[in-house]
Structure formats: C-alpha cells, structure tokens
C-alpha cells in the first residue's frame, strides 16, 4: 500500500477534480498544488472565459478530459489546436457546459474559482450534486447565502472555504461549529485584513488613485477584481458576509482587524479567553492544499514561515470613513433579504467602471450606496429571484453611472 493510499477515494483511485476558473490566480495555484501530487488527483475539466491560449497551454500541461471556454469561436480554435497536437480533450462552451463539468458523476472535487456572479450557477450545481466544493468564489455565497447553505446541507456537499481568512477560521473552529458558535464557547471571529495598497490613506488622497495602483497589492498576487475589492475594503465586506454564512455567525460576532503583515490569516476567540490563530506565509496554495487534501495535510510548495524574519505583527481597527464599503457590506448583511446580492452586483459594475477608467476610486462606494438606497429589496429564497434582483441592481448601477460620470 502506498503512503498516499489513505488520501485516495475508497477504491484507491485518485480524486477527480474540476477547476472552474483554471486560468485565474486561484486556478493556476490549484493546478500548481495538484501537479505536486499526480498520484492523488486526476483532472476532469479546466474552464476559462476568454483566455484561450492560456487554457490551451494549461490543457497541454495538465491533460484534463474536458476544456470549457466562454464562446463558440474560441471553442473552435481550441478544437483545431488540440487536433493538431493530437490531444484527446473534449472542448465545450458556455454556461451550460460549466454546470455539466461541475456536476459530472465522476467528479469528486470542484474548485470554484470563477470570479464574480458568473460562478454562482456552476458552484451551486456542484453543491447540489453533493461534491466536495472548494469555495474561492465568495461572490456566489454572498449572493445566495441561505439558499446556498441549505443546498450544502440538503445534498450533503462538503463545503471547504478557500478564502485564506475563512480557511483560517475553519481551522480554528471545532468541526461541529455550524450547530452554533456559542455552543462551542466561541465568542468572536477575528477577520484579518491587510488593509490593501492604500492603508492609512485619507479620502482626499484616494480620489485620484489609478487602477494600476489599486491592483498592486502589497502581500498577495490576485486577479484584478479582487485586487480592487481589497483596495476599497469591499473584499473584507464580502468576506464578512461570507463568514456569517459559513460559520452561522451574526455580523456583530465578527470583528475586522487590520493586520498589514498578512501572516495571521484570521482567528477565533473563545469564552475562556483563548484566541486561536492560523498563521503562514501569504500564499493561497496553503488553503488550496488544505481543501484538496482535507482532512489530511499535503505539501503545498509553500515556504515555511520564518517568525524571526516576520519579527513583528501589528493589529489595528479599520478606517471605515476612508473605506465605507466595509460598513455598506455589514449593513447589507444585517438588513438581509436581497441586500447582499444587490451590494455585490453594484460593486461588480462599479469595479468594472473603475478599471476601465470611467469612474474614480471613491465613486465605487458611493455608487454601491446609491444602488442599495434605490433598490427594492425582497426575500432571497429562490434562485430566480436572486438572479432577477442581481440583474436589476446591475441595470440600476449602470443608470446611475451614466448619469454621474
Ligand atoms: P482571476 O480574475 O485571476 O480569475 C478568474 C477566472 O474566472 C479566470 O479563469 C476567468 O477566465 C474566469 N471567469 C471570469 N469571468 C467568467 C465568466 N463570466 N464565466 C466563466 N468564467 C469566468 O480571479 P482570482 O483572483 O483567481 O479570483 C477568483 C475567485 O477567488 C474570486 O471570487 C476571488 O474573490 C476569490 N479569491 C481569490 C483570491 C486570490 O488570491 N486571487 C483569494 C481569495 C479569494
Ligand atoms: Mg481573503
């Protein structure tokens, strides 16, 4: 019996994995971890939206059974490309194909690493098919909260958070935490935030920052949307909502702590005064490897943490005046109904507008606030309703955008 046998499926075969958003930052880190353990994992599908060359190169290296791309033209190009290379990879395209490869019977594990609302349907499909779902795509959970968590329970999916903070908290909590935090003596969840590239900046200084500055995160290398979210602190706001759903917590039970070194990834505080933290170098391969191997541990290719080199750890409260997105997210979660979905949709439109130079940085928070004030919020108990309210919020955001900028 090989030393890896315990981590294989019951019949000793490798885990079969679909990577949604394979060409992104999380997707490529996932493939890096998988490549370190070729006997433990086999790839069913890799998916991408536009970047056909990048997807082709990943398929050539990692040999999945299926490749999914966003449109017909790119699918044709990929088919020709694979035929030339004599690679037997089935090429599919569009949203229906994303759902197919997420719920395919052979698949054990789905890495949900599409960015934004586009990830909701395939991630939910994986949940409904009872897969082990590694959740990086926080927007999917923010949009559909209760419905998503109900589906996890009903279909006995295994949901493991990949967002580094939530992965840290998951590691700091007892396994039965969803029964209620207070039952386990947990008093608070401490969600750490690096503070992003503009930590310490005031409203006036933020007025003229550029997309390039916003995307230059000091500690993490990430996709452009989450980089902007980190710069506005909307990322922490989305994460606060994500933590409420994942850990069955109220917004009041979650304290955001700015920690510029990004070494403590988050903490759980207990009634006896204990605070349990998870630490490590800021490298997403740690939470990804945790999710892939759970409940075991595998090598992630991450350098060991050198505390002497870290030397000091700083913690302070966030500046919600300069970064109002955190407050907006907390209020949306406290309000409930479709408020988090509306917040998320407006933010996606606002970030896109900022990245394309149509709106200043401070406009992101004000646009989100304006959309929340003008949206009609309804109960978020059906998928169709959530998708409809998401579409309405985007329409509202675009209308406000064209009026103001
Ligand atoms: P990214 O922009 O680098 O990659 C996004 C991936 O999604 C790409 O493969 C892209 O082709 C695909 N995609 C984009 N739009 C799509 C669409 N409409 N339909 C289908 N596929 C589409 O993003 P990322 O930084 O890897 O982040 C992915 C998710 O993980 C986000 O939800 C982000 O918040 C979350 N996350 C990322 C990090 C990180 O360090 N990068 C950390 C925590 C959480
Ligand atoms: Mg995070």
């Amino acid at each position: 019996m090989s030393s890896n046998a315990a981590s294989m499926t019951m019949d000793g075969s490798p885990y079969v994995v679909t990577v949604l958003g394979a060409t992104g930052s999380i997707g490529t880190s996932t493939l890096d971890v998988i490549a370190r353990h070729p006997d433990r994992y086999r790839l069913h599908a890799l998916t991408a939206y536009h970047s056909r060359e990048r997807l082709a190169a990943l398929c050539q290296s990692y040999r999945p059974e299926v490749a999914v791309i966003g449109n017909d033209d790119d699918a044709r190009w990929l088919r020709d490309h694979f035929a030339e290379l004599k690679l037997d990879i089935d090429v599919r395209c569009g949203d229906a194909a994303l759902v197919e490869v997420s719920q395919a019977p052979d698949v054990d594990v789905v890495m949900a690493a599409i960015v934004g609302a586009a990830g909701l349907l395939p991630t939910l499909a994986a949940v409904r098919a009872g897969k082990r779902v590694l959740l990086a795509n926080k927007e999917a959970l923010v949009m559909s909260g209760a419905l998503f968590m109900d589906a996890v329970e009903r279909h006995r999916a295994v949901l493991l958070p990949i967002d580094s903070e939530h992965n840290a908290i998951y590691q700091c909590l007892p396994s039965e935490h969803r029964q209620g935090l207070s039952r386990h003596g947990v008093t608070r969840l401490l969600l750490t935030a690096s503070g992003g590239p503009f930590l310490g900046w005031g409203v006036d200084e933020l007025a003229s920052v550029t997309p390039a500055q916003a995307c230059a995160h000091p500690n993490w290398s990430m996709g452009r949307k989450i980089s902007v979210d980190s710069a506005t602190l909307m990322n922490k706001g989305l994460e606060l909502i994500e933590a409420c759903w994942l850990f069955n917590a109220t917004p009041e039970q979650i304290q955001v702590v700015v920690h510029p070194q990004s070494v403590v990834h988050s903490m759980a505080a207990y009634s006896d005064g204990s605070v349990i933290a998870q630490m490590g170098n800021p490298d997403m391969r740690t939470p990804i490897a945790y999710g892939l191997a759970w409940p075991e541990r595998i090598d992630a290719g991450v350098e060991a943490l050198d505390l002497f080199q870290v030397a000091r750890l700083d913690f302070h409260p966030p500046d919600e005046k300069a970064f109002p997105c955190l407050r907006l997210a907390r209020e949306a979660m406290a309000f409930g109904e479709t408020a988090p979905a509306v917040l998320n949709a407006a933010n996606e439109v606002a970030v896109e507008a900022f990245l394309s130079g149509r709106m200043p940085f401070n406009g992101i928070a004000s646009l989100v606030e304006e959309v929340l004030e003008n949206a009609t919020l309804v109960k978020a108990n059906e998928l169709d309703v959530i998708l409809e309210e998401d579409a309405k919020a985007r329409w509202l955001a675009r209308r406000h955008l064209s009026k103001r900028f």
Side-chain angles (χ1 to χ4, degrees):
M1 193 188 263
S2 91
S3 60
N4 280 330
S7 59
M8 306 280 182
T9 51
M10 297 287 267
D11 65 0
S13 53
Y15 283 104
V16 180
V17 185
T18 279
V19 183
L20 299 171
T23 51
S25 162
I26 293 289
T28 47
S29 292
T30 304
L31 292 172
D32 180 280
V33 176
I34 285 179
R36 290 165 196 276
H37 305 277
D39 50 343
R40 298 174 73 120
Y41 306 104
R42 183 163 69 73
L43 286 163
H44 174 64
L46 299 184
T47 86
Y49 192 40
H50 286 314
S51 33
R52 63 188 193 189
E53 275 93 2
R54 180 101 189 88
L55 182 61
L58 291 176
C59 287
Q60 209 176 333
S61 305
Y62 295 102
R63 305 295 168 96
E65 291 165 44
V66 184
V68 180
I69 190 92
N71 66 71
D72 280 325
D73 280 350
D74 288 338
R76 263 192 297 278
W77 182 90
L78 280 170
R79 277 186 205 110
D80 292 346
H81 183 75
F82 292 150
E84 255 171 54
L85 295 173
K86 299 197 169 27
L87 285 180
D88 183 20
I89 297 175
D90 179 12
V91 178
R92 303 181 199 165
C93 90
D95 294 342
L98 291 175
V99 168
E100 266 166 39
V101 296
S102 302
Q103 63 187 23
D106 281 359
V107 170
D108 303 299
V109 182
V110 174
M111 165 54 84
I114 289 174
V115 59
L120 175 60
L121 294 182
T123 306
L124 205 50
V127 167
R128 288 173 171 166
K131 307 297 186 193
R132 174 188 296 197
V133 179
L134 311 188
L135 185 72
N137 180 204
K138 64 193 87 183
E139 296 92 344
L141 183 57
V142 166
M143 288 172 75
S144 65
L147 182 132
F148 191 102
M149 295 310 293
D150 284 351
V152 169
E153 209 148 296
R154 182 152 348 127
H155 299 280
R156 302 212 178 134
V158 175
L159 181 66
L160 296 171
I162 298 304
D163 217 341
S164 58
E165 297 78 1
H166 306 74
N167 187 271
I169 293 170
Y170 191 89
Q171 294 192 45
C172 297
L173 290 178
S175 55
E176 301 302 319
H177 59 259
R178 283 207 42 87
Q179 295 166 344
L181 291 176
S182 53
R183 249 174 96 164
H184 294 278
V186 179
T187 52
R188 266 176 318 153
L189 302 178
L190 302 163
L191 194 64
T192 55
S194 68
F198 308 132
L199 178 61
W201 292 35
V203 181
D204 294 345
E205 293 164 289
L206 290 170
S208 57
V209 303
T210 64
Q213 283 174 299
C215 289
H217 196 280
N219 305 337
W220 300 95
S221 147
M222 310 181 285
R224 282 164 71 78
K225 194 261 176 182
I226 184 177
S227 295
V228 176
D229 286 347
S230 299
T232 59
L233 285 204
M234 180 57 96
N235 184 50
K236 215 43 58 181
L238 297 175
E239 290 185 357
L240 184 145
I241 298 173
E242 184 186 13
C244 287
W245 290 116
L246 285 172
F247 306 119
N248 207 359
T250 61
E252 297 75 41
Q253 285 174 302
I254 299 172
Q255 183 178 9
V256 173
V257 178
V258 175
H259 165 50
Q261 291 89 357
S262 297
V263 166
V264 174
H265 296 308
S266 278
M267 299 165 262
Y270 286 81
S271 49
D272 60 4
S274 298
V275 174
I276 303 185
Q278 186 262 356
M279 301 199 286
N281 284 317
D283 187 324
M284 289 306 294
R285 289 176 301 175
T286 296
I288 290 167
Y290 180 91
L292 282 169
W294 179 89
E296 298 181 7
R297 300 275 182 168
I298 54 172
D299 170 37
V302 176
E303 237 180 275
L305 180 66
D306 180 345
L307 281 174
F308 297 127
Q309 203 184 339
V310 173
R312 60 180 276 184
L313 300 172
D314 296 301
F315 302 98
H316 45 86
D319 175 358
E320 293 195 13
K321 208 159 157 263
F323 302 96
C325 286
L326 180 56
R327 169 182 59 81
L328 292 174
R330 191 186 303 106
E331 287 171 2
M333 185 62 198
F335 187 89
E337 306 202 325
T338 45
V342 167
L343 168 104
N344 177 67
N347 181 57
E348 287 192 24
V349 173
V351 170
E352 219 174 86
F354 168 68
L355 281 173
S356 60
R358 280 185 293 138
M359 191 174 70
F361 184 78
N362 289 335
I364 298 176
S366 55
L367 185 68
V368 172
E369 186 153 29
E370 221 169 324
V371 172
L372 275 168
E373 276 166 7
N374 288 288
T376 313
L377 301 171
V378 297
K379 285 215 179 325
N381 47 6
E382 279 174 52
L383 188 57
D384 287 351
V385 172
I386 294 168
L387 295 175
E388 207 173 296
E389 296 309 310
D390 169 273
K392 279 191 207 160
R394 281 167 205 268
W395 178 84
L396 207 54
R398 291 197 182 100
R399 214 179 56 160
H400 284 296
L401 190 63
S402 59
K403 272 199 268 169
R404 285 180 39 201
F405 300 105

